[in-house]
Structure formats: structure tokens, C-alpha cells
Amino acid sequence: MTDDRSTAHAATSGAPAGPGDHRSGADDAPLLEIRGLSKSFPGVRALDGVDFRLHAGEVHALLGENGAGKSTLIKVLTGVHARDGGEIRLGGVPIDAADTADAQRLGIGTVYQEVNLLPNLSVADNLYLGREPTRFGLRSARRTAAMARELLAGYGLSIDVTANLGDYSVAVQQIVAIARAVDLSGKVLVLDEPTASLDAGEVQTLFGIVRRLTARGIGVVFVTHFLDQVFALCDRATVLRNGRLVGERRIAELGRLELVTMMLGRELEAAQLHRRRGEGPKGEAFLAFEGFGRHAYVNPFDLEIRPSEVTGVAGLLGSGRTETAKLLFGIKEADAGSATADGAPLRLASPRAAVAAGFAFCPEDRKTEGIVGDLSVRENIMLALQARRGWLNPLSRGESKALADRFIKALDIRTPDAEKPIRLLSGGNQQKALLARWLATEPRFLILDEPTRGIDVGAHAEIIRLIERLCDEGLALLVISSEIDEIVAYSDRVLVLRDRAHVGMIEGADVTVDRIVGAIAAEGPATAAGVPA
Amino acid sequence: MTARNLPLIATLVVFIVAYALCAMQFPAMLSLRVVANLLTDNAYLGVAAVGMTFVIISGGIDLSVGSVIAFTGVFLAVVIRAGIDPITAFVLVLIITTLFGAVMGAMIHYLETPPFIVTLAGMFFARGACFLLTTDSIPIDHPTWDFITSLNYRLPGGGRLTLVAMIMLVVFLAGILVAHFTRFGTYVYGMGGNRQSAELMGVPVARTTVAIYALSSGLAGVAGIVFALYTSAGYSLAATGVELDTIAAVVIGGTLLTGGVGTIAGTFVGVLIQGLIQTYIIFDGTLSSWWTKIVIGGLLFAFILLQRGLVHVAARRRAAARMAAA
Ligand SMILES: Nc1ncnc2c1ncn2[C@@H]1O[C@H](COP(=O)(O)OP(=O)(O)OP(=O)(O)O)[C@@H](O)[C@H]1O
Ligand SMILES: [Mg+2]
């Protein structure tokens, strides 16, 4: 996430149509026109007189901080929420989708931010739910499967479509969700942070598909926090802040700094996305893993963890990054090697043991595993700390309130108050609350898996400030990320993984994007996210 | 594919093993006559369990089933005594019970009330309605009725496949068809998998919820007719606790109480297992019939453990397979 536009463009080279290729001007009658849209929830004015225009054949970025109202706009458009006021026209005709099925019939296909489809149904059933081919009124499983296979082939995915969706990785599930929405979108395709769990190659496949759709005259609404992707794919951008329209711009006429300023309402210097290094107590390693590994999971590796040090973990999707984290945190028990803490042997047979040893792990799949939707923001933040203290030793309400408020402030979690059920927060703010949950346990060793996914640029900078502060206090961090420039921005050293093996450790001045990409791709075809091949 | 069918296979294996053990002790249990009786004796349970399977797969529960069965019997007895033709009475009672379920479904959806509460209220309501109609046990006596109950298919070896057993088999076949080969069936599974996702994907959640509970109560009505044909009487206190027997059959049949996973065929085997235990107790002659409850309780525990184990093993094998493929 450095201020480097050339990086973004390089990633798209070789693609059929470049970002500067405007297929429609602002003067044509828009395909979708939203005027004065308003929507309030108890205590929040999520949308306040927002205008939005989408032209046929364009990719239109919908941007804004966490909680700005992007997802709400999409949900009002597609009939999930009823609007309080305003007008929506599709192809000049006023529309008012009563529910999502209605929106689908109107030709609006959507990938929602939180949707995970239905893990207990087959891939094919997920793709064609509600519109399966029938014979004599009965579903034809064979034809559904054949259609599903053909559809997914267009995404370079050849999987068993009769297996349950839940058997596949989050990335595959995401592609299935996208494929479904694309297939449903006769006129408009809406993608709410679709790339949050995709790797670089999959993102490129998605971009290719989006460009094919726009060539057919379909308008695409694209919500993301990856600004590189905005510049690589989108023609125009509409920015929201606190439920209000900030403005609409052509991407070609927009600089990155200006865009960030529009989103945040203040300037953010590139330097703020970098970590200031090294005032914390440097010291001896307090954790050591030797020959640590698990058969058919992660090859044995050696690793030492020192206080105040940030170890970045880089590698392609499936290279064993998350697996390494799960092994270190005891979610999977190692069957080889040993671990020592402060010189004493440490048995990491379960997450409980890891927590007892002062470890904390903020997992990647926060959307589905992390939050407890009906509990309040405060309770969600306190959960891990309370579990560690034991249920017989509860925090007093005052203490927990003060602690929650501190994290809400430190991470800028946008919520009217700490007692709001967390499911009512925007996606990015839920993630910040989860990060707070683990920080509240005051660990010695914190593992973060993709900590900035779905978090806006402003909050991103704040998380880097937080990492700085934690390191000054002596915390050791292991951070997994697909964004190489992000890893470079905060890591003291970078562990590189390939094919489930640790293949290198890059340290000190060598920690650069080029070196890391080189190490990842030492053999085999590989491009890392946002980085020229 | 196989992983999905594991609970069903496990249920089948338990049934076959249990049946083999019974047959070893009492070879007479192998006869077609015993099998036919088993089907007849459990027909009402099976019919109600089909509806319950849909409800549980959708992530809900229906506690009103037993009361609706009793209501159906009492209603039939009362109106037939009053001179209404049995066929007309059947149609009437099915309309009433189906509407009753639809109202419960609408309350669950529109008032956002948990199914447990709504159907618990429905259970008291239907039972109360029985007592309003009559507090006596009323025998059913009508020429058409006698004709219907006499219908059966002679099996080789002296057994008879009664009409009620045939009704149950037809309901099971229809249930399998609806669950796996119609859109409604997919919606039911989808809602059990994740209600919010299903709604965002365009599943008509309101309509489907109403239909699920209407189906369950409607089938409870059919089960009530079957029960009335079986006993030729209507009695307000009949079929108490049958909702729990059906839930047990559904769970033993491999359907998860958390919703989203299960099969109608599994429920059929679940019903057979319950019937088998009763048959064994009758054959033994010395055991109290309460042993049925104890064995079913034990089986429920065993099944829940078995399912957990199987799901765990399957997940591990799958992970290993994925790893090998990667
Ligand atoms: N169902 C709801 N009930 C109450 N408040 C809600 C609900 N949905 C959203 N909100 C509130 O509306 C505001 C806008 O949320 P929205 O989800 O649209 O943000 P967003 O721009 O999509 O953010 P993110 O980038 O984090 O996904 C937030 O303050 C959120 O708490
Ligand atoms: Mg959102």
C-alpha cells in the first residue's frame, strides 16, 4: 500500500483493456441512477441523501472508510433493507426491489460482503439455487452439475461440483460466490469486497471476467479497500464518508493521495503506512522452535522469536502460511520437533496451552469464525481475556467497559456505543473489534493472519501505529500477509514459504519487495499481490 | 459424496446389525409378517417423522405434532359420529391442520419468534382443542370406515401390507422426492445451512418457512388419520409425546438438530429401528415396554457420538486428500 501507481498498473499489463479505456462518458444516460438515498438504523444515519450513477460498461468503485455506508447502499439497492427516502432508477425506470430475489430478477447480481453461500449444499446447488434446470418439474442434478462445471471452467476452476461447498477453501468459495453473482447479473454486477480472500492470480482472473462483462455493457459496482485494485480496474469512483456523498471522480484524473484524502477527510502521508523501527528492548529469543513440523501439513522448520521484533510471513496462497500459524498456536499439534519458552520445554497441544504461554492468534477467517454476532462489541472484545482469566474470575463491568472503550478509541471502531450487538457494525469495524479481542489479552507473542484485510487505509495506518507501540512494549509479532509492500512496511525480517516449507529468512536491509518476490518465486510461476512479476 | 451419506450408512448398519441380533435370538422375526406388522404399527410415527425431518433440516423444530395427531383423531370421530362421510372428514381435517401449521410458520417468520416457543404454544392449543370437542374416547363406526380399514395387500407368507403401511411408504417416497428433487427441498436445506446467506441468495424465506410448518402439520394430520384408522377411535389423550418419538427417529436417522444436514431415507431407518426395539420387546415377552424408551435414549446418545466421530474422521480424510492433491 505504498504510494506507487506504477505498481498497480504493472499488475494489469497484458490484460485486454486498460483502466484508461472509458467506454462511456459521464453524459450518457446512466444505467443505474440513485438520487437522494437515505437509510437510518437506530442511532445511525447510515445513508444521508446519497447520489450514485453507474453507466453501462463501466467499473465504478464505491469507496469510503469502514462504516461509511457502502454495504448499506448495496443492501438498499438490492432489497435487503427498505429505504427511508430517495429514488433508484434502472435503465430510466424507477425500481424498488422487495427482496434479493426481486433484485436478481431485475438483473442485479450481488456478492455481499458477509455472504458465505451455503456450506451444506453442493457447489452446483449454490450456483443455481432458485433457478435450477428442471425436467417435468423436478430438479435435474446431472444438468445442474454440467452447467456448474462449465461455468466454473471460465474461472479456471475444475473441482468436483457435487461436493459440498464447505469442503473447499475460503478462496474457492469466494470464486463460487462471484461466479454465481456474475451469472445472475444481466445488467448490474455488485461486488462488495470480493477480493478479500483471493490471491493475486485469482484477482487477475476476476479482473479478466469483469472486463469481459463490461465489454458486454454490464455496469459493475466494485467495493474494495485495496486502492491498487481501484486504479487497476475501475473507471470511476464514488466516495462516501459517514453516510454522505463526498464526490464522484474519474480514476484517470485522480491521484492516490487525493483519493485517500476524500475517503478520510484528512491527509494521510505515505510515511504513516510505514513502521518506525526499533526503540523497544531488543533481546534474546524467548521462544525457540526446533525441527517443528507436522507430517503432510508443514515441513519441519526452525524459528526463534525475539521480543520487539516483527516477523513477516510471505508466500503464495497454499504455501503453508496459515498452517504455520496454526501449528505455532497449537490448533494443529506438531508431530515433530520441539518448542521451548524461556529455555523450558513447551508443549503446544492445544490453543489453551498456547494462550497459557502468552500466545495470541487473530485468525484469517474472522468473518465466519471470529465474531459472536449477538454479543455486544464490549463482550466480543472481552471474550478472549475473560476466557483466559477463567469464568469464575469475571472482570467487573467497570473494568471491562473501560478496557473496551480504550480499544474502541485506539482502533477507531465506529460504533454508537460499546453495547451495540457486533453484527450491526460494518464489516471492517467487526474486524477491528476482533483484533482488539486478542490485544486485550496482553500477549507476549501475537500472531496476526491478514490483519488489514477489509480494513480502510486510515485504520490500516492506525494498526501500524499499534504494531509500533506494541513492539516498543516488548511484544513479539508474527504477521502473515499477502500484501508484500505491507510486509515490507512493518517487518524486521521476513520468513518466506513455498510448498509448505520454510525456504528462507530475509533480514535487515534485504527486506524489500523485490527480494521477497524473488524468494517466493524462486521456482515456479508466481506473482505476488500488487507486485510486478 | 460418501462423506455426506455417512450418517445414513451408519444408521443402516445399526439397523441391520440389530435386526440380525434379534433374528438370531428369535428366528421368527425374519418373517414378512413381522416386517409388515412393524410397518403398520409405526405408520403414524413414520408419516409424522417425514414432516419433522423437513422442519429439523430447515433449522427448526415442531413440538405440536403429537397434539395435532390427537386432534385429528378426535375431530374425525366427532364429525363422523355427527354423520359426515369419512372422506369429506379427511379432507376437512387436512385443511384445518395444514392451515394450523401455516399460521405457526407465519408467526415464526413474521414475529421472529423461535419455533420452539411457537410450536410449544401450538401443542397446548391443539391439545386444548381436543378437549373442547370431547373428553371421551369415541369409537369410529361407519361402513366406509370399515371398508377403508379392511384394505390391504396380501404378502406371501401370510403377512398383510395394510393401507396405513402403504400410506407411510408413499409419504416417505414423496418426501424423498420433495427433499432432493424440488426447489423447495433445496430451500429447506439452504435455510438450515445459513438462514442469512439463504435470504441474501434470494431464497423466499417467508414463503418457505410457512410452507415447512404447513407441511409438517399437514403430515401430522395424515399421521392422525393413519392413527385413527389404526385404532378406530378418537381420544384426547392419545399420542402424547409422539413429537419426541418423531424427533428421536429423525435424529437416529442421521439428521442434525442444528439443521442443514439430513435425509428422509435416514428417518425411515430411524423409524424402523424404533419399531424393531418394540417388536423385540414383544417377542421377549418379559421386558417392560418402558425398555423401548431406555433403549431409544441409549441409541440417541450413541448416535450423536457416532455422528460426531464420523464427521470428524471424514473431515480429516478430506483434509488429507486435499493436501495430497495440492
Ligand atoms: N442492520 C443494521 N442495524 C444497525 N446498524 C447498521 C446495520 N447495518 C449497518 N449499520 C450501521 O450503518 C453504518 C454503515 O455500515 P456499512 O456496513 O454500510 O459500512 P461499510 O461502508 O460497508 O463499511 P466496511 O468497509 O467496514 O464494510 C455503520 O455505522 C453500521 O454500524
Ligand atoms: Mg461493508
Side-chain angles (χ1 to χ4, degrees), chain A residues 39-47 63-75 81 113-114 192-193 223-225 240 242-243 414-416 420-432 454-456:
Chain A
K39 174 73 194 174
S40 292
F41 296 109
V44 193
R45 206 163 165 76
L47 292 175
L63 305 173
E65 291 174 287
N66 296 130
K70 307 178 293 290
S71 300
T72 305
L73 185 134
I74 288 165
K75 287 185 176 168
H81 297 316
Q113 187 174 6
E114 62 274 78
D192 195 350
E193 298 192 31
V223 179
T224 186
H225 290 292
L240 303 181
N242 291 328
R414 303 279 168 92
T415 173
K420 194 157 168 157
I422 199 167
R423 72 186 146 81
L424 300 182
L425 262 56
S426 80
N429 284 305
Q430 293 179 1
Q431 298 204 4
K432 291 195 240 170
I455 284 180
D456 69 52

Coordinates of all heavy atoms in Angstrom, one line a residue, chain A residues 39-47 63-75 81 113-114 192-193 223-225 240 242-243 414-416 420-432 454-456, ligand 1:
Chain A
K39 N -31.0 6.2 4.5 CA -31.4 5.0 5.3 C -30.8 5.2 6.7 O -29.7 5.5 6.9 CB -30.8 3.7 4.7 CG -30.9 2.5 5.5 CD -32.3 2.0 5.5 CE -32.6 0.9 6.5 NZ -34.0 0.5 6.6
S40 N -31.7 5.1 7.7 CA -31.2 5.2 9.1 C -31.5 3.9 9.8 O -32.5 3.2 9.6 CB -32.0 6.3 9.8 OG -31.7 7.5 9.3
F41 N -30.5 3.5 10.7 CA -30.7 2.4 11.7 C -30.8 3.1 13.0 O -30.4 4.3 13.2 CB -29.6 1.5 11.6 CG -29.4 0.8 10.3 CD1 -28.4 1.0 9.5 CD2 -30.3 -0.2 9.9 CE1 -28.2 0.4 8.3 CE2 -30.2 -0.9 8.7 CZ -29.1 -0.6 7.9
P42 N -31.4 2.4 14.0 CA -31.4 3.0 15.3 C -30.1 3.6 15.7 O -29.1 2.9 15.8 CB -31.8 1.9 16.2 CG -32.6 0.9 15.3 CD -31.9 1.1 14.0
G43 N -30.0 4.9 15.9 CA -28.8 5.5 16.4 C -27.7 5.9 15.3 O -26.7 6.4 15.6
V44 N -28.0 5.4 14.1 CA -27.0 5.7 13.0 C -27.7 6.2 11.7 O -28.8 5.6 11.3 CB -26.3 4.4 12.6 CG1 -25.1 4.7 11.7 CG2 -25.9 3.6 13.8
R45 N -27.2 7.2 11.1 CA -27.7 7.6 9.8 C -26.7 7.0 8.8 O -25.7 7.6 8.5 CB -27.8 9.1 9.8 CG -28.8 9.6 8.8 CD -29.2 11.1 9.0 NE -29.8 11.6 7.8 CZ -31.1 11.3 7.5 NH1 -31.8 10.6 8.3 NH2 -31.7 11.8 6.4
A46 N -27.0 5.8 8.3 CA -26.1 5.1 7.5 C -26.0 5.7 6.1 O -24.9 5.7 5.5 CB -26.5 3.6 7.4
L47 N -27.0 6.2 5.6 CA -27.0 6.9 4.3 C -27.8 8.2 4.4 O -28.9 8.2 4.9 CB -27.6 6.0 3.2 CG -26.9 4.8 2.8 CD1 -27.8 4.0 1.8 CD2 -25.6 5.1 2.2
L63 N -16.2 3.8 -2.6 CA -15.2 3.8 -1.6 C -15.6 4.5 -0.4 O -16.5 5.3 -0.4 CB -13.9 4.4 -2.2 CG -13.4 3.8 -3.5 CD1 -12.3 4.6 -4.1 CD2 -12.9 2.3 -3.3
G64 N -14.8 4.3 0.7 CA -15.0 5.0 1.9 C -14.5 4.2 3.1 O -14.2 3.0 3.0
E65 N -14.4 4.9 4.2 CA -13.9 4.3 5.4 C -14.8 3.1 5.9 O -15.9 3.0 5.4 CB -13.8 5.3 6.6 CG -12.8 6.4 6.4 CD -13.0 7.3 7.6 OE1 -14.0 8.1 7.5 OE2 -12.2 7.3 8.5
N66 N -14.3 2.4 6.8 CA -15.2 1.4 7.4 C -16.4 2.1 8.1 O -16.2 3.0 8.9 CB -14.4 0.6 8.5 CG -13.3 -0.2 7.9 OD1 -12.2 -0.1 8.4 ND2 -13.5 -0.9 6.8
G67 N -17.6 1.6 7.7 CA -18.8 2.2 8.3 C -19.3 3.4 7.5 O -20.2 4.1 8.0
A68 N -18.7 3.7 6.4 CA -19.1 4.9 5.6 C -20.5 4.7 5.0 O -21.2 5.7 4.7 CB -18.1 5.1 4.5
G69 N -20.9 3.5 4.8 CA -22.3 3.2 4.3 C -22.3 2.5 2.9 O -23.3 2.4 2.3
K70 N -21.1 2.0 2.5 CA -21.1 1.3 1.2 C -22.0 0.1 1.2 O -22.8 -0.1 0.3 CB -19.6 0.9 0.9 CG -18.6 2.0 1.1 CD -17.2 1.5 0.8 CE -16.7 0.5 1.9 NZ -16.4 1.1 3.2
S71 N -21.8 -0.8 2.2 CA -22.6 -2.0 2.1 C -24.1 -1.7 2.3 O -25.0 -2.4 1.7 CB -22.2 -3.0 3.3 OG -20.9 -3.3 3.1
T72 N -24.4 -0.7 3.1 CA -25.8 -0.3 3.3 C -26.4 0.2 1.9 O -27.5 -0.2 1.6 CB -25.9 0.8 4.3 OG1 -25.3 0.4 5.5 CG2 -27.4 1.2 4.6
L73 N -25.6 0.9 1.2 CA -26.1 1.4 -0.1 C -26.5 0.2 -1.0 O -27.5 0.1 -1.6 CB -25.1 2.2 -0.8 CG -25.5 2.9 -2.1 CD1 -25.1 4.3 -2.2 CD2 -24.9 2.1 -3.3
I74 N -25.6 -0.8 -1.0 CA -25.8 -2.0 -1.8 C -27.0 -2.8 -1.3 O -27.8 -3.3 -2.1 CB -24.5 -2.9 -1.8 CG1 -23.4 -2.2 -2.6 CG2 -24.8 -4.3 -2.3 CD1 -22.1 -2.7 -2.3
K75 N -27.2 -2.9 0.0 CA -28.3 -3.6 0.5 C -29.6 -2.9 0.3 O -30.7 -3.6 0.1 CB -28.1 -3.9 2.0 CG -27.0 -4.9 2.2 CD -26.9 -5.3 3.7 CE -25.9 -6.4 3.9 NZ -25.6 -6.6 5.3
H81 N -32.6 -4.1 2.7 CA -33.2 -3.1 3.5 C -34.2 -2.3 2.7 O -33.9 -2.0 1.6 CB -32.1 -2.2 4.1 CG -31.1 -2.9 5.0 ND1 -31.5 -3.8 5.9 CD2 -29.8 -2.8 5.1 CE1 -30.4 -4.2 6.5 NE2 -29.3 -3.6 6.0
Q113 N -20.9 -8.6 1.2 CA -19.6 -8.6 2.0 C -19.6 -9.8 2.9 O -18.6 -10.5 3.0 CB -19.5 -7.3 2.8 CG -18.2 -7.2 3.5 CD -18.1 -5.8 4.1 OE1 -19.0 -5.1 4.2 NE2 -16.9 -5.5 4.7
E114 N -20.7 -10.1 3.6 CA -20.7 -11.2 4.6 C -21.1 -12.5 4.1 O -21.0 -13.5 4.8 CB -21.5 -10.8 5.8 CG -23.0 -10.6 5.6 CD -23.3 -9.2 5.1 OE1 -23.0 -8.9 3.9 OE2 -23.7 -8.3 5.9
D192 N -19.1 -6.5 -3.3 CA -18.7 -5.9 -2.1 C -17.5 -6.6 -1.5 O -17.6 -7.7 -0.9 CB -19.9 -5.9 -1.1 CG -19.8 -4.9 0.1 OD1 -18.7 -4.4 0.2 OD2 -20.7 -4.7 0.8
E193 N -16.4 -6.0 -1.6 CA -15.1 -6.6 -1.2 C -14.9 -8.0 -1.6 O -14.8 -8.9 -0.8 CB -14.9 -6.4 0.3 CG -15.0 -5.0 0.7 CD -14.5 -4.7 2.2 OE1 -13.7 -5.5 2.7 OE2 -15.0 -3.7 2.8
V223 N -16.6 -2.6 -4.6 CA -16.2 -2.0 -3.3 C -15.0 -2.7 -2.9 O -14.9 -4.0 -2.9 CB -17.3 -2.3 -2.2 CG1 -16.9 -1.8 -0.9 CG2 -18.7 -1.7 -2.7
T224 N -14.0 -2.0 -2.5 CA -12.7 -2.6 -2.0 C -12.0 -1.6 -1.1 O -12.2 -0.4 -1.1 CB -11.9 -3.0 -3.2 OG1 -10.7 -3.7 -2.7 CG2 -11.4 -1.8 -4.0
H225 N -11.1 -2.1 -0.4 CA -10.1 -1.3 0.4 C -8.7 -1.4 -0.2 O -7.8 -0.7 0.2 CB -10.1 -1.6 1.9 CG -11.4 -1.3 2.6 ND1 -11.7 0.0 2.8 CD2 -12.4 -2.0 3.1 CE1 -12.9 0.0 3.4 NE2 -13.3 -1.2 3.6
L240 N -17.8 7.8 -0.3 CA -18.8 8.2 0.8 C -18.0 8.4 2.1 O -16.9 7.8 2.3 CB -19.8 7.0 1.1 CG -20.6 6.5 -0.1 CD1 -21.5 5.3 0.4 CD2 -21.5 7.6 -0.7
N242 N -19.2 8.9 6.3 CA -20.2 9.0 7.3 C -21.6 9.1 6.7 O -22.5 9.8 7.1 CB -20.0 10.2 8.2 CG -18.8 10.1 9.1 OD1 -18.5 9.0 9.5 ND2 -18.1 11.2 9.3
G243 N -21.8 8.2 5.7 CA -23.2 8.2 5.1 C -23.5 9.3 4.1 O -24.6 9.3 3.6
R414 N -15.9 2.2 14.7 CA -17.1 3.1 14.6 C -18.3 2.4 15.1 O -18.9 1.5 14.4 CB -17.3 3.5 13.1 CG -16.1 4.1 12.5 CD -16.0 5.6 12.9 NE -14.7 6.1 12.5 CZ -14.5 6.7 11.3 NH1 -15.4 6.8 10.4 NH2 -13.3 7.2 11.0
T415 N -18.8 2.7 16.3 CA -20.0 2.2 16.9 C -20.6 3.3 17.8 O -19.8 4.0 18.4 CB -19.7 0.9 17.6 OG1 -20.9 0.5 18.3 CG2 -18.6 1.0 18.6
P416 N -21.9 3.4 17.8 CA -22.5 4.4 18.7 C -22.1 4.2 20.1 O -21.8 5.1 20.8 CB -24.0 4.2 18.5 CG -24.2 3.3 17.3 CD -22.9 2.6 17.0
K420 N -23.6 -2.1 21.6 CA -24.3 -2.4 20.4 C -23.9 -3.9 20.0 O -22.8 -4.2 20.0 CB -23.9 -1.5 19.3 CG -24.9 -1.5 18.1 CD -24.8 -0.2 17.3 CE -25.5 -0.4 16.0 NZ -26.0 0.8 15.4
P421 N -24.9 -4.7 19.6 CA -24.6 -6.0 19.1 C -23.6 -5.9 17.9 O -23.8 -5.1 17.0 CB -25.9 -6.6 18.6 CG -27.0 -5.8 19.2 CD -26.4 -4.4 19.5
I422 N -22.5 -6.7 17.9 CA -21.5 -6.5 17.0 C -21.9 -6.8 15.5 O -21.4 -6.2 14.6 CB -20.2 -7.4 17.3 CG1 -19.0 -6.8 16.6 CG2 -20.5 -8.8 17.0 CD1 -17.7 -7.4 17.2
R423 N -22.9 -7.6 15.3 CA -23.4 -7.9 14.0 C -23.9 -6.6 13.2 O -24.0 -6.6 12.0 CB -24.4 -9.0 13.9 CG -25.7 -8.6 14.4 CD -26.7 -9.8 14.5 NE -27.5 -9.7 15.7 CZ -28.7 -8.9 15.6 NH1 -29.0 -8.3 14.5 NH2 -29.4 -8.8 16.7
L424 N -24.2 -5.6 14.0 CA -24.8 -4.4 13.4 C -23.7 -3.5 12.9 O -23.9 -2.5 12.3 CB -25.7 -3.7 14.3 CG -26.9 -4.5 14.8 CD1 -27.8 -3.7 15.7 CD2 -27.7 -5.0 13.5
L425 N -22.4 -3.8 13.3 CA -21.3 -2.9 12.8 C -21.0 -3.3 11.4 O -21.2 -4.3 10.9 CB -20.1 -3.2 13.7 CG -19.9 -2.2 14.8 CD1 -21.1 -2.1 15.7 CD2 -18.6 -2.6 15.6
S426 N -20.3 -2.3 10.7 CA -19.8 -2.6 9.3 C -18.7 -3.7 9.4 O -18.1 -3.9 10.4 CB -19.3 -1.3 8.7 OG -18.0 -1.1 9.1
G427 N -18.5 -4.3 8.3 CA -17.6 -5.5 8.2 C -16.2 -5.1 8.8 O -15.6 -5.8 9.6
G428 N -15.6 -4.0 8.3 CA -14.3 -3.6 8.7 C -14.2 -3.3 10.2 O -13.2 -3.6 10.9
N429 N -15.3 -2.8 10.8 CA -15.3 -2.5 12.2 C -15.4 -3.7 13.0 O -14.8 -3.8 14.1 CB -16.4 -1.5 12.5 CG -16.0 -0.1 12.1 OD1 -15.0 0.5 12.5 ND2 -16.9 0.5 11.2
Q430 N -16.1 -4.7 12.5 CA -16.1 -6.0 13.2 C -14.7 -6.6 13.3 O -14.3 -7.1 14.3 CB -17.0 -7.0 12.5 CG -18.5 -6.6 12.5 CD -19.3 -7.6 11.7 OE1 -18.8 -8.6 11.2 NE2 -20.6 -7.3 11.7
Q431 N -13.9 -6.4 12.2 CA -12.6 -7.0 12.2 C -11.7 -6.3 13.2 O -10.9 -6.9 13.9 CB -12.0 -6.8 10.8 CG -12.8 -7.6 9.8 CD -12.0 -8.0 8.6 OE1 -10.8 -7.7 8.6 NE2 -12.6 -8.7 7.7
K432 N -11.9 -5.0 13.3 CA -11.1 -4.2 14.3 C -11.4 -4.7 15.7 O -10.5 -4.8 16.5 CB -11.4 -2.7 14.1 CG -10.8 -2.1 12.8 CD -10.8 -0.6 12.9 CE -11.6 0.0 11.9 NZ -11.8 1.4 12.1
G454 N -9.9 -5.9 4.5 CA -11.2 -5.3 4.8 C -11.1 -4.1 5.7 O -12.2 -3.6 6.1
I455 N -9.9 -3.7 6.0 CA -9.8 -2.5 6.9 C -9.4 -1.3 6.0 O -8.5 -1.4 5.1 CB -8.8 -2.8 8.0 CG1 -9.4 -3.7 9.0 CG2 -8.2 -1.6 8.6 CD1 -8.6 -4.1 10.1
D456 N -9.9 -0.1 6.3 CA -9.7 1.0 5.4 C -8.3 1.6 5.6 O -7.6 1.3 6.6 CB -10.8 2.1 5.5 CG -10.8 2.8 6.9 OD1 -9.7 3.3 7.3 OD2 -11.8 2.8 7.5
Ligands
LIG1 N1 -28.6 -3.8 10.3 C1 -28.0 -2.7 10.9 N2 -28.5 -2.2 12.0 C2 -27.9 -1.2 12.6 N3 -26.9 -0.5 12.1 C3 -26.4 -0.9 11.0 C4 -26.9 -2.1 10.3 N4 -26.2 -2.3 9.2 C5 -25.2 -1.3 9.2 N5 -25.3 -0.5 10.2 C6 -24.5 0.7 10.5 O1 -24.5 1.5 9.4 C7 -23.2 2.1 9.2 C8 -22.7 1.8 7.8 O2 -22.4 0.5 7.7 P1 -21.9 -0.2 6.3 O3 -22.0 -1.7 6.6 O4 -22.7 0.3 5.2 O5 -20.4 0.3 6.2 P2 -19.4 0.0 5.1 O6 -19.1 1.3 4.4 O7 -19.8 -1.2 4.2 O8 -18.1 -0.4 5.9 P3 -16.9 -1.6 5.7 O9 -15.9 -1.0 4.9 O10 -16.4 -1.7 7.1 O11 -17.6 -2.8 5.2 C9 -22.3 1.6 10.3 O12 -22.2 2.5 11.3 C10 -23.1 0.4 10.8 O13 -22.8 0.2 12.2

